[in-house]
Amino acid sequence: MTDPPDGAGEGGAMAMIQLETVDLRLLRLFMTIVEAGGFSAAQSELNLSLSTISTHFADLETRLGLRLCRRGRSGFQLTPEGQAVYDEARRVFDTLERFRGRVRGLRERLTGMLAVGLVDNTLTDPRAPLERVFARFTEAAPEVSLLINVRPPNELLRDVIGGQLQLAIASFPRIVPSLSYQDLYNETIHFCVADGHPLFAQPDEAIDLDEIRRYRLVARSYWGSRDLKIFAISTPKATVSDMEGAARLILSGAYLGYLPDHYAAPYVKAGRLRVLLPKVLSYQAPFQVAFDANRSKSPVVDLFIALTREEMTAPEFRPGPTRQM
């Protein structure tokens, strides 16, 4: 507190000595009375009777050794000492609030490392704006280091289970009971043929599944036999671990296979690829974020998942009905 006004006498000196032992609750009550404009006006906010408020106020004056206000027909009025106490109390509580905020910030500060797994070739998908997720996450948690691993979905699941990754984002070939999943969006997958393949120039009406079976098909290793299930073929002529490998083989004109719509789009536009039988062969692959909820809860993981859902489940990208192959 500041020095009491002249004439405060020994009571003012006593207040200076005893200030740090004054009950903060009584000071808060005093501030509420002052800001409300009087005892009666403060009743509803304090939820106390007038007699209780008066008793507490008298206790504060006794502890400080100061007369803080005048009450009479003219209403509630602070004494000069009361005004000084109010001003100092306001500074004290402002300082305490800043202190609480700093301690809370230290307690909740996000540090350490976040290991994120991603499936390949999603950069061209407007439904997967991971760059925005990373930007917002880095702004919110600048002290967290990121480790990004790009792998096939089955390997991502394996590493989340093993703890090498804290979360993974992909369209997963299986659901692992020990992991938790949150839906993000659907990726459209098309069955494609390239210029130079015998089926490229044939209209869809002239093509059926029996015709397609005659040619070399590409399968993705992480989907097992599901790429070929509809064709009733047990062994593919080529197996790949990622979409780029599939695209290379399909663009060679020697193979047929599946590609995401966004990945195939520029080649379709350029006339190098064509989508075959979309009503029969195209399907929706649900993308999810997978994580182990049984591990110790991490605010870093929670933040990243929350930002991912905000950015990747926007209204125009809400997941629709899906079909499993």
Side-chain angles (χ1 to χ4, degrees):
M1 289 178 62
T2 58
D3 291 336
D6 292 341
E10 293 184 1
M14 183 67 70
M16 290 295 294
I17 294 170
Q18 297 183 350
L19 175 61
E20 47 186 11
T21 65
V22 173
D23 189 342
L24 291 178
R25 181 176 57 84
L26 292 179
L27 278 174
R28 178 70 76 181
L29 176 139
F30 169 61
M31 291 171 62
T32 301
I33 294 170
V34 174
E35 291 163 4
F39 285 54
S40 298
Q43 267 190 283
S44 59
E45 188 169 345
L46 293 172
N47 195 27
L48 296 173
S49 67
L50 272 177
S51 60
T52 301
I53 293 173
S54 295
T55 299
H56 289 325
F57 192 87
D59 288 344
L60 178 62
E61 288 186 315
T62 299
R63 297 184 66 133
L64 291 176
L66 294 169
R67 186 179 181 188
L68 300 177
C69 76
R70 299 184 184 93
R71 298 161 62 190
R73 294 181 180 179
S74 59
F76 176 87
Q77 184 179 8
L78 287 176
T79 63
E81 294 84 358
Q83 184 64 55
V85 169
Y86 173 80
D87 292 341
E88 291 299 332
R90 169 53 59 197
R91 280 191 277 271
V92 166
F93 281 102
D94 287 346
T95 300
L96 282 174
E97 188 56 38
R98 288 195 297 273
F99 171 76
R100 291 191 190 99
R102 288 181 180 180
V103 171
R104 187 167 54 247
L106 290 172
R107 187 175 63 248
E108 298 175 355
R109 189 175 65 185
L110 301 177
T111 59
M113 176 177 286
L114 178 65
V116 179
L118 304 176
V119 72
D120 69 303
N121 295 310
T122 59
L123 185 60
T124 54
D125 193 343
R127 292 158 295 194
L130 278 164
E131 60 277 10
R132 294 207 299 265
V133 176
F134 289 134
R136 291 180 61 188
F137 179 81
T138 301
E139 181 180 5
E143 296 184 41
V144 175
S145 299
L146 284 171
L147 175 64
I148 308 298
N149 281 321
V150 179
R151 294 177 185 166
N154 57 329
E155 295 182 18
L156 295 178
L157 286 177
R158 178 199 65 198
D159 289 346
V160 173
I161 295 171
Q164 290 86 2
L165 296 174
Q166 287 154 284
L167 60 95
I169 298 172
S171 179
F172 297 106
R174 60 193 176 97
I175 298 298
V176 179
S178 63
L179 298 183
S180 297
Y181 297 79
Q182 292 193 18
D183 295 333
L184 297 175
Y185 67 95
N186 284 341
E187 181 182 65
T188 301
I189 307 293
H190 292 310
F191 192 74
C192 299
V193 59
D195 187 16
H197 192 281
L199 294 183
F200 187 78
Q202 291 192 36
D204 278 358
E205 300 78 40
I207 302 172
D208 58 20
L209 297 183
D210 288 333
E211 179 71 7
I212 292 174
R213 286 192 199 97
R214 296 176 49 221
Y215 298 98
R216 295 181 181 87
L217 303 184
V218 177
R220 292 163 292 177
S221 58
Y222 49 89
W223 280 110
S225 61
R226 275 178 282 181
D227 277 351
L228 306 177
K229 184 177 180 181
I230 194 170
F231 303 109
I233 294 175
S234 59
T235 305
K237 292 296 183 182
T239 302
V240 298
S241 63
D242 54 47
M243 286 298 182
E244 183 167 336
R248 294 284 187 182
L249 289 174
I250 296 167
L251 286 167
S252 74
Y255 294 84
L256 304 171
Y258 284 101
L259 291 173
D261 59 348
H262 58 90
Y263 194 70
Y267 303 104
V268 172
K269 184 177 181 180
R272 296 184 61 189
L273 283 181
R274 176 184 150 212
V275 176
L276 282 182
L277 303 177
K279 292 183 179 180
V280 177
L281 299 178
S282 296
Y283 69 96
Q284 300 289 304
F287 263 64
Q288 299 170 305
V289 55
F291 57 99
D292 189 346
N294 295 321
R295 295 184 186 277
S296 57
K297 194 168 180 62
S298 165
V300 173
V301 173
D302 291 345
L303 173 63
F304 192 89
I305 291 175
L307 294 176
T308 299
R309 286 182 55 79
E310 286 180 17
E311 292 292 347
M312 298 172 68
T313 58
E316 62 268 32
F317 302 139
R318 294 290 184 200
T322 62
R323 177 173 69 86
Q324 297 295 329
M325 292 187 62

